[in-house]
Amino acid sequence: MSSIRPWREIMRRQSRQIMVGNVPVGGGAPITVQTMTNTPTEDVGATIDQIRRCEDAGADIIRVSCPTPEATEHFDKITKAANVPIVADIHFHYKRALEAADKGAACLRINPGNIGSSERVAEVVRAAKANGCAIRIGVNAGSLEKDLLEKYGEPCPDALVESALDHIKLLQDHDFHDYKVAVKASDVFLAVAAYHALAETVDCPLHLGITEAGGLIGGTVKSSIGIGSLLWAGIGDTIRVSLSAEPEQEVKVGFEILKALGLRTRGVRVVSCPSCSRQGFDVIRTVEALEKRLEHIKTPMSLSVLGCVVNGPGEARETDIGLTGGGAGKHMVYLSGVTDHHVQSDDMLDHIVRLVEEKAAAIEAGEATAFDPHAVEAAE
């Protein structure tokens, strides 16, 4: 496919690989999707429940904040209950890092320079090594060191990169190399420029994010522009979409960004029109209902839902299942790009859901494969 359509190719930056628990990050491994819980970590039950919802949404790695001794007191119950690696989010207090490492954290999110003395950094590194923890250095434009703000006058790409390199050196001085780095900012231009500069300077995996991006819609747009442009340039090994929304939504948006770029596939990819007066059925409400009813499908496949025959047949030729609106409540259904049968409006939703579920089951059983029109063209 890449030789036929070179504009689809993304040449990923070569980075060395680290392990976050049993999940590889960097070194050509699939780009992972992360999120962060927002329940009080002291409430173990609520935190585990939220982790479950994030796992169901597809999260590969989940971060949990550990700001107090109470938060780490029962942290081992959280790490044992989770089915994905847990990152302990640590700020300033090195003892929380030691406690989290001993209680099953797969990664510590710290800035070594904020931990304190070299001796304290050494203690954290020893705990990380002893427990097989990775470390994520998290530089943020909103919390840059005072000396860098004085040097540069404001948060800028050079300041973010210099901060990251200072923190990296602290770990390297203690012979620790299992780290990944983020240089986040709420300003898309600043974050993207900083990541480009850092990518040219270091070989470690990079954790992408536009921090404090905003609510579900605004934050999705900003994150898609920032994270998406970096991924398109081949930069990034793991991503977190930061939204003022439930963490499951962050996971869903993260996967949609990866799916749009062809970097990961999970669940049903829906192609649908914005609708107009030509529509043969209520496209907006139909898509809303289908997306909700198909959330449980994890198998990668595609579904096109278009209201009329202007672009409908062309889009249907590219998807596993297609639906095109017709007249008098009678609509055309396409299977693997080919016209197959009609369905009436009253039966349409249940019918499409059943077709998707049957195709997903067949793919999972090895009896079918997801439709790839480009593979068909290449074979011909």
Side-chain angles (χ1 to χ4, degrees):
M1 180 177 72
S2 60
S3 61
I4 298 173
R5 293 175 173 81
W7 58 87
R8 292 177 180 269
E9 293 181 0
I10 292 178
M11 302 300 294
R12 289 183 62 190
R13 161 184 171 268
Q14 292 298 310
S15 63
R16 56 187 173 81
Q17 189 172 99
I18 67 170
M19 297 299 295
V20 178
N22 61 356
V23 175
V25 176
I31 296 166
T32 52
V33 177
Q34 303 193 26
T35 188
M36 186 174 182
T37 58
N38 57 26
T39 53
T41 307
E42 297 85 355
D43 189 338
V44 173
T47 302
I48 291 173
D49 286 345
Q50 193 170 71
I51 287 172
R52 286 282 177 271
R53 295 194 295 274
C54 294
E55 290 172 342
D56 288 342
D60 301 297
I61 299 170
I62 297 174
R63 181 155 45 115
V64 176
S65 184
C66 296
T68 65
E70 292 76 22
T72 53
E73 183 178 1
H74 300 295
F75 194 68
D76 53 333
K77 294 182 180 178
I78 294 171
T79 57
K80 288 176 182 176
N83 296 310
V84 298
I86 298 297
V87 178
D89 191 76
I90 310 295
H91 288 278
F92 305 115
H93 211 300
Y94 80 104
K95 286 188 177 179
R96 303 293 84 77
L98 305 181
E99 293 157 2
D102 286 340
K103 294 191 175 183
C107 181
L108 305 173
R109 188 277 190 201
I110 63 169
N111 282 349
N114 294 342
I115 293 296
S117 64
S118 177
E119 291 75 19
R120 288 183 175 180
V121 174
E123 281 195 60
V124 172
V125 168
R126 280 195 293 270
K129 287 182 175 180
N131 292 282
C133 287
I135 288 178
R136 198 262 279 188
I137 294 171
V139 175
N140 193 307
S143 55
L144 273 174
E145 296 86 339
K146 289 183 179 179
D147 63 317
L148 291 176
L149 287 175
E150 291 174 0
K151 177 180 177 178
Y152 291 99
E154 65 175 359
C156 63
D158 287 344
L160 290 172
V161 171
E162 185 170 333
S163 176
L165 295 178
D166 289 344
H167 292 303
I168 287 172
K169 186 176 185 303
L170 289 174
L171 294 183
Q172 291 179 335
D173 286 346
H174 294 284
D175 194 30
F176 189 88
H177 306 281
D178 294 329
Y179 58 83
K180 52 194 174 83
V181 183
V183 281
K184 295 185 178 182
S186 59
D187 182 292
V188 175
F189 297 95
L190 173 54
V192 170
Y195 275 111
H196 274 280
L198 187 63
E200 295 177 358
T201 309
V202 299
D203 69 344
C204 63
L206 298 184
H207 170 119
L208 302 188
I210 304 299
T211 194
E212 285 92 43
L216 182 58
I217 294 177
T220 293
V221 172
K222 287 180 67 175
S223 297
S224 298
I225 293 170
I227 295 173
S229 68
L230 287 165
L231 292 172
W232 200 339
I235 296 170
D237 303 285
T238 184
I239 68 173
R240 189 259 173 119
V241 177
S242 299
L243 301 176
S244 299
E246 293 305 316
E248 307 96 292
Q249 298 297 330
E250 295 186 349
V251 178
K252 292 174 184 177
V253 173
F255 266 101
E256 289 300 323
I257 293 172
L258 293 175
K259 284 160 66 175
L261 291 168
L263 292 167
R264 288 279 299 271
T265 55
R266 183 182 193 275
V268 181
R269 177 176 62 86
V270 177
V271 176
S272 61
C273 67
S275 80
C276 69
S277 61
R278 292 191 305 266
Q279 63 183 348
F281 56 87
D282 188 335
V283 173
I284 293 174
R285 248 54 64 184
T286 298
V287 171
E288 287 176 349
L290 286 171
E291 286 182 334
K292 186 170 184 179
R293 292 183 61 177
L294 296 174
E295 279 187 342
H296 65 291
I297 302 292
K298 309 298 189 291
T299 310
M301 57 184 300
S302 54
L303 168 67
S304 58
V305 181
L306 283 93
C308 76
V309 297
V310 173
N311 293 319
E315 295 294 346
R317 284 197 294 269
E318 303 278 318
T319 55
D320 287 282
I321 296 165
L323 175 66
T324 297
K330 188 177 181 182
H331 316 297
M332 177 59 71
V333 176
Y334 303 72
L335 301 181
S336 298
V338 179
T339 55
D340 193 83
H341 60 274
H342 289 91
V343 63
Q344 297 291 332
S345 293
D346 291 345
D347 304 320
M348 184 174 63
L349 275 176
D350 290 342
H351 185 70
I352 296 299
V353 169
R354 185 171 68 254
L355 289 176
V356 171
E357 290 177 336
E358 290 173 352
K359 180 68 180 276
I363 293 172
E364 291 300 315
E367 299 168 357
T369 57
F371 179 58
D372 182 354
H374 308 305
V376 172
E377 287 184 15
E380 294 174 350

PDB file of all heavy atoms in Angstrom, residues 213-250:
ATOM      1  N   ALA A 213      -5.427  21.456  27.586  1.00  0.00           N
ATOM      2  CA  ALA A 213      -5.946  21.770  26.249  1.00  0.00           C
ATOM      3  C   ALA A 213      -7.355  22.341  26.271  1.00  0.00           C
ATOM      4  O   ALA A 213      -7.751  23.035  25.334  1.00  0.00           O
ATOM      5  CB  ALA A 213      -5.923  20.512  25.373  1.00  0.00           C
ATOM      6  N   GLY A 214      -8.134  22.052  27.317  1.00  0.00           N
ATOM      7  CA  GLY A 214      -9.492  22.595  27.390  1.00  0.00           C
ATOM      8  C   GLY A 214     -10.530  21.493  27.508  1.00  0.00           C
ATOM      9  O   GLY A 214     -10.232  20.352  27.852  1.00  0.00           O
ATOM     10  N   GLY A 215     -11.774  21.844  27.201  1.00  0.00           N
ATOM     11  CA  GLY A 215     -12.887  20.905  27.306  1.00  0.00           C
ATOM     12  C   GLY A 215     -12.897  19.904  26.171  1.00  0.00           C
ATOM     13  O   GLY A 215     -11.985  19.849  25.342  1.00  0.00           O
ATOM     14  N   LEU A 216     -13.969  19.125  26.121  1.00  0.00           N
ATOM     15  CA  LEU A 216     -14.027  18.009  25.183  1.00  0.00           C
ATOM     16  C   LEU A 216     -13.866  18.455  23.731  1.00  0.00           C
ATOM     17  O   LEU A 216     -13.080  17.872  22.976  1.00  0.00           O
ATOM     18  CB  LEU A 216     -15.345  17.245  25.365  1.00  0.00           C
ATOM     19  CG  LEU A 216     -15.528  16.009  24.476  1.00  0.00           C
ATOM     20  CD1 LEU A 216     -14.413  15.002  24.691  1.00  0.00           C
ATOM     21  CD2 LEU A 216     -16.883  15.362  24.736  1.00  0.00           C
ATOM     22  N   ILE A 217     -14.576  19.483  23.321  1.00  0.00           N
ATOM     23  CA  ILE A 217     -14.499  19.899  21.921  1.00  0.00           C
ATOM     24  C   ILE A 217     -13.235  20.725  21.660  1.00  0.00           C
ATOM     25  O   ILE A 217     -12.410  20.385  20.804  1.00  0.00           O
ATOM     26  CB  ILE A 217     -15.757  20.684  21.512  1.00  0.00           C
ATOM     27  CG1 ILE A 217     -16.988  19.768  21.558  1.00  0.00           C
ATOM     28  CG2 ILE A 217     -15.589  21.266  20.105  1.00  0.00           C
ATOM     29  CD1 ILE A 217     -18.296  20.452  21.241  1.00  0.00           C
ATOM     30  N   GLY A 218     -13.051  21.804  22.416  1.00  0.00           N
ATOM     31  CA  GLY A 218     -11.879  22.645  22.207  1.00  0.00           C
ATOM     32  C   GLY A 218     -10.580  21.899  22.431  1.00  0.00           C
ATOM     33  O   GLY A 218      -9.623  22.037  21.658  1.00  0.00           O
ATOM     34  N   GLY A 219     -10.535  21.090  23.483  1.00  0.00           N
ATOM     35  CA  GLY A 219      -9.324  20.338  23.785  1.00  0.00           C
ATOM     36  C   GLY A 219      -9.028  19.266  22.754  1.00  0.00           C
ATOM     37  O   GLY A 219      -7.867  18.985  22.444  1.00  0.00           O
ATOM     38  N   THR A 220     -10.086  18.676  22.209  1.00  0.00           N
ATOM     39  CA  THR A 220      -9.897  17.686  21.150  1.00  0.00           C
ATOM     40  C   THR A 220      -9.298  18.333  19.911  1.00  0.00           C
ATOM     41  O   THR A 220      -8.384  17.784  19.286  1.00  0.00           O
ATOM     42  CB  THR A 220     -11.241  17.018  20.802  1.00  0.00           C
ATOM     43  OG1 THR A 220     -11.674  16.235  21.924  1.00  0.00           O
ATOM     44  CG2 THR A 220     -11.108  16.114  19.587  1.00  0.00           C
ATOM     45  N   VAL A 221      -9.798  19.523  19.565  1.00  0.00           N
ATOM     46  CA  VAL A 221      -9.272  20.214  18.390  1.00  0.00           C
ATOM     47  C   VAL A 221      -7.804  20.571  18.588  1.00  0.00           C
ATOM     48  O   VAL A 221      -6.951  20.289  17.736  1.00  0.00           O
ATOM     49  CB  VAL A 221     -10.101  21.484  18.094  1.00  0.00           C
ATOM     50  CG1 VAL A 221      -9.443  22.310  16.999  1.00  0.00           C
ATOM     51  CG2 VAL A 221     -11.517  21.097  17.688  1.00  0.00           C
ATOM     52  N   LYS A 222      -7.464  21.188  19.726  1.00  0.00           N
ATOM     53  CA  LYS A 222      -6.079  21.579  19.976  1.00  0.00           C
ATOM     54  C   LYS A 222      -5.159  20.370  20.016  1.00  0.00           C
ATOM     55  O   LYS A 222      -4.061  20.388  19.447  1.00  0.00           O
ATOM     56  CB  LYS A 222      -5.970  22.357  21.291  1.00  0.00           C
ATOM     57  CG  LYS A 222      -6.512  23.761  21.232  1.00  0.00           C
ATOM     58  CD  LYS A 222      -6.376  24.463  22.562  1.00  0.00           C
ATOM     59  CE  LYS A 222      -4.936  24.719  22.943  1.00  0.00           C
ATOM     60  NZ  LYS A 222      -4.833  25.507  24.194  1.00  0.00           N
ATOM     61  N   SER A 223      -5.598  19.316  20.677  1.00  0.00           N
ATOM     62  CA  SER A 223      -4.774  18.118  20.780  1.00  0.00           C
ATOM     63  C   SER A 223      -4.591  17.448  19.430  1.00  0.00           C
ATOM     64  O   SER A 223      -3.505  16.957  19.107  1.00  0.00           O
ATOM     65  CB  SER A 223      -5.399  17.130  21.774  1.00  0.00           C
ATOM     66  OG  SER A 223      -5.433  17.683  23.069  1.00  0.00           O
ATOM     67  N   SER A 224      -5.650  17.437  18.638  1.00  0.00           N
ATOM     68  CA  SER A 224      -5.562  16.819  17.325  1.00  0.00           C
ATOM     69  C   SER A 224      -4.583  17.571  16.425  1.00  0.00           C
ATOM     70  O   SER A 224      -3.808  16.969  15.683  1.00  0.00           O
ATOM     71  CB  SER A 224      -6.939  16.760  16.666  1.00  0.00           C
ATOM     72  OG  SER A 224      -7.832  15.974  17.430  1.00  0.00           O
ATOM     73  N   ILE A 225      -4.608  18.897  16.515  1.00  0.00           N
ATOM     74  CA  ILE A 225      -3.677  19.694  15.713  1.00  0.00           C
ATOM     75  C   ILE A 225      -2.245  19.467  16.183  1.00  0.00           C
ATOM     76  O   ILE A 225      -1.352  19.182  15.382  1.00  0.00           O
ATOM     77  CB  ILE A 225      -4.036  21.189  15.794  1.00  0.00           C
ATOM     78  CG1 ILE A 225      -5.378  21.455  15.101  1.00  0.00           C
ATOM     79  CG2 ILE A 225      -2.939  22.047  15.159  1.00  0.00           C
ATOM     80  CD1 ILE A 225      -5.925  22.846  15.345  1.00  0.00           C
ATOM     81  N   GLY A 226      -2.024  19.588  17.496  1.00  0.00           N
ATOM     82  CA  GLY A 226      -0.666  19.479  18.023  1.00  0.00           C
ATOM     83  C   GLY A 226      -0.103  18.072  17.972  1.00  0.00           C
ATOM     84  O   GLY A 226       0.948  17.821  17.351  1.00  0.00           O
ATOM     85  N   ILE A 227      -0.800  17.144  18.592  1.00  0.00           N
ATOM     86  CA  ILE A 227      -0.334  15.759  18.611  1.00  0.00           C
ATOM     87  C   ILE A 227      -0.343  15.179  17.204  1.00  0.00           C
ATOM     88  O   ILE A 227       0.587  14.484  16.792  1.00  0.00           O
ATOM     89  CB  ILE A 227      -1.207  14.912  19.559  1.00  0.00           C
ATOM     90  CG1 ILE A 227      -1.051  15.394  21.006  1.00  0.00           C
ATOM     91  CG2 ILE A 227      -0.845  13.438  19.462  1.00  0.00           C
ATOM     92  CD1 ILE A 227      -1.993  14.726  21.989  1.00  0.00           C
ATOM     93  N   GLY A 228      -1.408  15.480  16.456  1.00  0.00           N
ATOM     94  CA  GLY A 228      -1.522  14.939  15.106  1.00  0.00           C
ATOM     95  C   GLY A 228      -0.401  15.400  14.193  1.00  0.00           C
ATOM     96  O   GLY A 228       0.155  14.613  13.426  1.00  0.00           O
ATOM     97  N   SER A 229      -0.040  16.681  14.270  1.00  0.00           N
ATOM     98  CA  SER A 229       1.032  17.175  13.402  1.00  0.00           C
ATOM     99  C   SER A 229       2.366  16.544  13.757  1.00  0.00           C
ATOM    100  O   SER A 229       3.181  16.246  12.873  1.00  0.00           O
ATOM    101  CB  SER A 229       1.121  18.703  13.484  1.00  0.00           C
ATOM    102  OG  SER A 229       1.566  19.126  14.753  1.00  0.00           O
ATOM    103  N   LEU A 230       2.607  16.327  15.041  1.00  0.00           N
ATOM    104  CA  LEU A 230       3.861  15.689  15.467  1.00  0.00           C
ATOM    105  C   LEU A 230       3.907  14.232  15.011  1.00  0.00           C
ATOM    106  O   LEU A 230       4.927  13.768  14.489  1.00  0.00           O
ATOM    107  CB  LEU A 230       4.005  15.786  16.987  1.00  0.00           C
ATOM    108  CG  LEU A 230       4.336  17.182  17.524  1.00  0.00           C
ATOM    109  CD1 LEU A 230       4.094  17.253  19.024  1.00  0.00           C
ATOM    110  CD2 LEU A 230       5.782  17.559  17.202  1.00  0.00           C
ATOM    111  N   LEU A 231       2.813  13.517  15.213  1.00  0.00           N
ATOM    112  CA  LEU A 231       2.772  12.121  14.782  1.00  0.00           C
ATOM    113  C   LEU A 231       2.944  12.011  13.274  1.00  0.00           C
ATOM    114  O   LEU A 231       3.628  11.111  12.772  1.00  0.00           O
ATOM    115  CB  LEU A 231       1.453  11.475  15.215  1.00  0.00           C
ATOM    116  CG  LEU A 231       1.246  11.277  16.708  1.00  0.00           C
ATOM    117  CD1 LEU A 231      -0.178  10.814  16.975  1.00  0.00           C
ATOM    118  CD2 LEU A 231       2.241  10.265  17.281  1.00  0.00           C
ATOM    119  N   TRP A 232       2.324  12.920  12.544  1.00  0.00           N
ATOM    120  CA  TRP A 232       2.432  12.924  11.085  1.00  0.00           C
ATOM    121  C   TRP A 232       3.894  13.134  10.665  1.00  0.00           C
ATOM    122  O   TRP A 232       4.364  12.584   9.664  1.00  0.00           O
ATOM    123  CB  TRP A 232       1.545  14.028  10.509  1.00  0.00           C
ATOM    124  CG  TRP A 232       1.200  13.856   9.056  1.00  0.00           C
ATOM    125  CD1 TRP A 232       1.867  13.106   8.126  1.00  0.00           C
ATOM    126  CD2 TRP A 232       0.094  14.440   8.376  1.00  0.00           C
ATOM    127  NE1 TRP A 232       1.243  13.195   6.903  1.00  0.00           N
ATOM    128  CE2 TRP A 232       0.141  14.016   7.029  1.00  0.00           C
ATOM    129  CE3 TRP A 232      -0.932  15.296   8.769  1.00  0.00           C
ATOM    130  CZ2 TRP A 232      -0.793  14.421   6.082  1.00  0.00           C
ATOM    131  CZ3 TRP A 232      -1.863  15.689   7.819  1.00  0.00           C
ATOM    132  CH2 TRP A 232      -1.798  15.258   6.493  1.00  0.00           C
ATOM    133  N   ALA A 233       4.627  13.898  11.483  1.00  0.00           N
ATOM    134  CA  ALA A 233       6.047  14.132  11.216  1.00  0.00           C
ATOM    135  C   ALA A 233       6.921  12.978  11.714  1.00  0.00           C
ATOM    136  O   ALA A 233       8.143  13.034  11.578  1.00  0.00           O
ATOM    137  CB  ALA A 233       6.488  15.439  11.868  1.00  0.00           C
ATOM    138  N   GLY A 234       6.282  11.951  12.291  1.00  0.00           N
ATOM    139  CA  GLY A 234       7.029  10.794  12.760  1.00  0.00           C
ATOM    140  C   GLY A 234       7.525  10.904  14.184  1.00  0.00           C
ATOM    141  O   GLY A 234       8.258  10.041  14.662  1.00  0.00           O
ATOM    142  N   ILE A 235       7.123  11.957  14.889  1.00  0.00           N
ATOM    143  CA  ILE A 235       7.589  12.200  16.258  1.00  0.00           C
ATOM    144  C   ILE A 235       6.543  11.715  17.251  1.00  0.00           C
ATOM    145  O   ILE A 235       5.365  12.041  17.130  1.00  0.00           O
ATOM    146  CB  ILE A 235       7.858  13.697  16.470  1.00  0.00           C
ATOM    147  CG1 ILE A 235       8.992  14.166  15.554  1.00  0.00           C
ATOM    148  CG2 ILE A 235       8.181  14.001  17.924  1.00  0.00           C
ATOM    149  CD1 ILE A 235       9.172  15.674  15.520  1.00  0.00           C
ATOM    150  N   GLY A 236       6.983  10.945  18.246  1.00  0.00           N
ATOM    151  CA  GLY A 236       6.085  10.524  19.322  1.00  0.00           C
ATOM    152  C   GLY A 236       5.984   9.029  19.460  1.00  0.00           C
ATOM    153  O   GLY A 236       5.872   8.309  18.469  1.00  0.00           O
ATOM    154  N   ASP A 237       6.024   8.567  20.718  1.00  0.00           N
ATOM    155  CA  ASP A 237       5.978   7.131  20.999  1.00  0.00           C
ATOM    156  C   ASP A 237       4.824   6.762  21.916  1.00  0.00           C
ATOM    157  O   ASP A 237       4.419   5.604  21.971  1.00  0.00           O
ATOM    158  CB  ASP A 237       7.304   6.694  21.634  1.00  0.00           C
ATOM    159  CG  ASP A 237       8.485   7.035  20.753  1.00  0.00           C
ATOM    160  OD1 ASP A 237       8.678   6.338  19.745  1.00  0.00           O
ATOM    161  OD2 ASP A 237       9.190   8.015  21.046  1.00  0.00           O
ATOM    162  N   THR A 238       4.300   7.742  22.634  1.00  0.00           N
ATOM    163  CA  THR A 238       3.138   7.526  23.492  1.00  0.00           C
ATOM    164  C   THR A 238       2.441   8.866  23.633  1.00  0.00           C
ATOM    165  O   THR A 238       3.084   9.918  23.564  1.00  0.00           O
ATOM    166  CB  THR A 238       3.553   6.955  24.865  1.00  0.00           C
ATOM    167  OG1 THR A 238       2.381   6.674  25.648  1.00  0.00           O
ATOM    168  CG2 THR A 238       4.462   7.893  25.634  1.00  0.00           C
ATOM    169  N   ILE A 239       1.112   8.864  23.765  1.00  0.00           N
ATOM    170  CA  ILE A 239       0.363  10.120  23.781  1.00  0.00           C
ATOM    171  C   ILE A 239      -0.628  10.153  24.926  1.00  0.00           C
ATOM    172  O   ILE A 239      -1.124   9.115  25.367  1.00  0.00           O
ATOM    173  CB  ILE A 239      -0.385  10.369  22.452  1.00  0.00           C
ATOM    174  CG1 ILE A 239      -1.517   9.345  22.261  1.00  0.00           C
ATOM    175  CG2 ILE A 239       0.576  10.343  21.271  1.00  0.00           C
ATOM    176  CD1 ILE A 239      -2.403   9.646  21.043  1.00  0.00           C
ATOM    177  N   ARG A 240      -0.884  11.374  25.418  1.00  0.00           N
ATOM    178  CA  ARG A 240      -1.973  11.588  26.365  1.00  0.00           C
ATOM    179  C   ARG A 240      -2.730  12.840  25.922  1.00  0.00           C
ATOM    180  O   ARG A 240      -2.159  13.914  25.782  1.00  0.00           O
ATOM    181  CB  ARG A 240      -1.450  11.776  27.794  1.00  0.00           C
ATOM    182  CG  ARG A 240      -2.569  11.789  28.864  1.00  0.00           C
ATOM    183  CD  ARG A 240      -2.919  13.196  29.309  1.00  0.00           C
ATOM    184  NE  ARG A 240      -4.074  13.257  30.187  1.00  0.00           N
ATOM    185  CZ  ARG A 240      -4.054  13.723  31.439  1.00  0.00           C
ATOM    186  NH1 ARG A 240      -2.946  14.184  31.964  1.00  0.00           N
ATOM    187  NH2 ARG A 240      -5.168  13.772  32.148  1.00  0.00           N
ATOM    188  N   VAL A 241      -4.001  12.707  25.662  1.00  0.00           N
ATOM    189  CA  VAL A 241      -4.857  13.834  25.312  1.00  0.00           C
ATOM    190  C   VAL A 241      -5.405  14.408  26.615  1.00  0.00           C
ATOM    191  O   VAL A 241      -6.135  13.727  27.333  1.00  0.00           O
ATOM    192  CB  VAL A 241      -6.000  13.401  24.383  1.00  0.00           C
ATOM    193  CG1 VAL A 241      -6.924  14.565  24.101  1.00  0.00           C
ATOM    194  CG2 VAL A 241      -5.438  12.824  23.086  1.00  0.00           C
ATOM    195  N   SER A 242      -5.046  15.639  26.937  1.00  0.00           N
ATOM    196  CA  SER A 242      -5.443  16.253  28.206  1.00  0.00           C
ATOM    197  C   SER A 242      -6.730  17.051  28.020  1.00  0.00           C
ATOM    198  O   SER A 242      -6.719  18.106  27.377  1.00  0.00           O
ATOM    199  CB  SER A 242      -4.326  17.171  28.716  1.00  0.00           C
ATOM    200  OG  SER A 242      -3.137  16.458  28.955  1.00  0.00           O
ATOM    201  N   LEU A 243      -7.820  16.552  28.570  1.00  0.00           N
ATOM    202  CA  LEU A 243      -9.121  17.196  28.410  1.00  0.00           C
ATOM    203  C   LEU A 243      -9.770  17.456  29.762  1.00  0.00           C
ATOM    204  O   LEU A 243      -9.588  16.670  30.705  1.00  0.00           O
ATOM    205  CB  LEU A 243     -10.061  16.314  27.586  1.00  0.00           C
ATOM    206  CG  LEU A 243      -9.630  15.923  26.180  1.00  0.00           C
ATOM    207  CD1 LEU A 243     -10.652  14.967  25.584  1.00  0.00           C
ATOM    208  CD2 LEU A 243      -9.464  17.150  25.300  1.00  0.00           C
ATOM    209  N   SER A 244     -10.532  18.513  29.846  1.00  0.00           N
ATOM    210  CA  SER A 244     -11.406  18.706  31.007  1.00  0.00           C
ATOM    211  C   SER A 244     -12.665  17.879  30.748  1.00  0.00           C
ATOM    212  O   SER A 244     -13.762  18.396  30.487  1.00  0.00           O
ATOM    213  CB  SER A 244     -11.744  20.188  31.179  1.00  0.00           C
ATOM    214  OG  SER A 244     -10.574  20.939  31.401  1.00  0.00           O
ATOM    215  N   ALA A 245     -12.475  16.590  30.794  1.00  0.00           N
ATOM    216  CA  ALA A 245     -13.534  15.612  30.514  1.00  0.00           C
ATOM    217  C   ALA A 245     -13.137  14.322  31.206  1.00  0.00           C
ATOM    218  O   ALA A 245     -12.026  14.199  31.736  1.00  0.00           O
ATOM    219  CB  ALA A 245     -13.679  15.396  29.004  1.00  0.00           C
ATOM    220  N   GLU A 246     -14.017  13.362  31.237  1.00  0.00           N
ATOM    221  CA  GLU A 246     -13.693  12.101  31.882  1.00  0.00           C
ATOM    222  C   GLU A 246     -12.531  11.411  31.152  1.00  0.00           C
ATOM    223  O   GLU A 246     -12.408  11.528  29.927  1.00  0.00           O
ATOM    224  CB  GLU A 246     -14.913  11.184  31.908  1.00  0.00           C
ATOM    225  CG  GLU A 246     -16.028  11.688  32.804  1.00  0.00           C
ATOM    226  CD  GLU A 246     -15.559  11.953  34.226  1.00  0.00           C
ATOM    227  OE1 GLU A 246     -14.818  11.114  34.791  1.00  0.00           O
ATOM    228  OE2 GLU A 246     -15.907  13.011  34.777  1.00  0.00           O
ATOM    229  N   PRO A 247     -11.678  10.714  31.870  1.00  0.00           N
ATOM    230  CA  PRO A 247     -10.486  10.122  31.247  1.00  0.00           C
ATOM    231  C   PRO A 247     -10.793   9.143  30.128  1.00  0.00           C
ATOM    232  O   PRO A 247      -9.993   8.994  29.204  1.00  0.00           O
ATOM    233  CB  PRO A 247      -9.768   9.443  32.415  1.00  0.00           C
ATOM    234  CG  PRO A 247     -10.758   9.365  33.527  1.00  0.00           C
ATOM    235  CD  PRO A 247     -11.691  10.503  33.334  1.00  0.00           C
ATOM    236  N   GLU A 248     -11.953   8.490  30.178  1.00  0.00           N
ATOM    237  CA  GLU A 248     -12.308   7.595  29.075  1.00  0.00           C
ATOM    238  C   GLU A 248     -12.396   8.360  27.751  1.00  0.00           C
ATOM    239  O   GLU A 248     -12.070   7.832  26.695  1.00  0.00           O
ATOM    240  CB  GLU A 248     -13.658   6.905  29.332  1.00  0.00           C
ATOM    241  CG  GLU A 248     -13.775   6.191  30.661  1.00  0.00           C
ATOM    242  CD  GLU A 248     -14.435   7.030  31.722  1.00  0.00           C
ATOM    243  OE1 GLU A 248     -13.814   8.033  32.147  1.00  0.00           O
ATOM    244  OE2 GLU A 248     -15.575   6.730  32.120  1.00  0.00           O
ATOM    245  N   GLN A 249     -12.853   9.618  27.843  1.00  0.00           N
ATOM    246  CA  GLN A 249     -12.951  10.437  26.637  1.00  0.00           C
ATOM    247  C   GLN A 249     -11.564  10.750  26.081  1.00  0.00           C
ATOM    248  O   GLN A 249     -11.372  10.812  24.862  1.00  0.00           O
ATOM    249  CB  GLN A 249     -13.708  11.734  26.934  1.00  0.00           C
ATOM    250  CG  GLN A 249     -15.150  11.541  27.376  1.00  0.00           C
ATOM    251  CD  GLN A 249     -16.013  10.897  26.303  1.00  0.00           C
ATOM    252  OE1 GLN A 249     -15.771  11.075  25.117  1.00  0.00           O
ATOM    253  NE2 GLN A 249     -17.006  10.127  26.709  1.00  0.00           N
ATOM    254  N   GLU A 250     -10.603  10.956  26.970  1.00  0.00           N
ATOM    255  CA  GLU A 250      -9.229  11.183  26.517  1.00  0.00           C
ATOM    256  C   GLU A 250      -8.723   9.989  25.704  1.00  0.00           C
ATOM    257  O   GLU A 250      -8.076  10.158  24.665  1.00  0.00           O
ATOM    258  CB  GLU A 250      -8.306  11.410  27.712  1.00  0.00           C
ATOM    259  CG  GLU A 250      -8.592  12.664  28.503  1.00  0.00           C
ATOM    260  CD  GLU A 250      -7.558  12.929  29.580  1.00  0.00           C
ATOM    261  OE1 GLU A 250      -6.724  12.034  29.866  1.00  0.00           O
ATOM    262  OE2 GLU A 250      -7.569  14.025  30.140  1.00  0.00           O
TER     263      GLU A 250
END
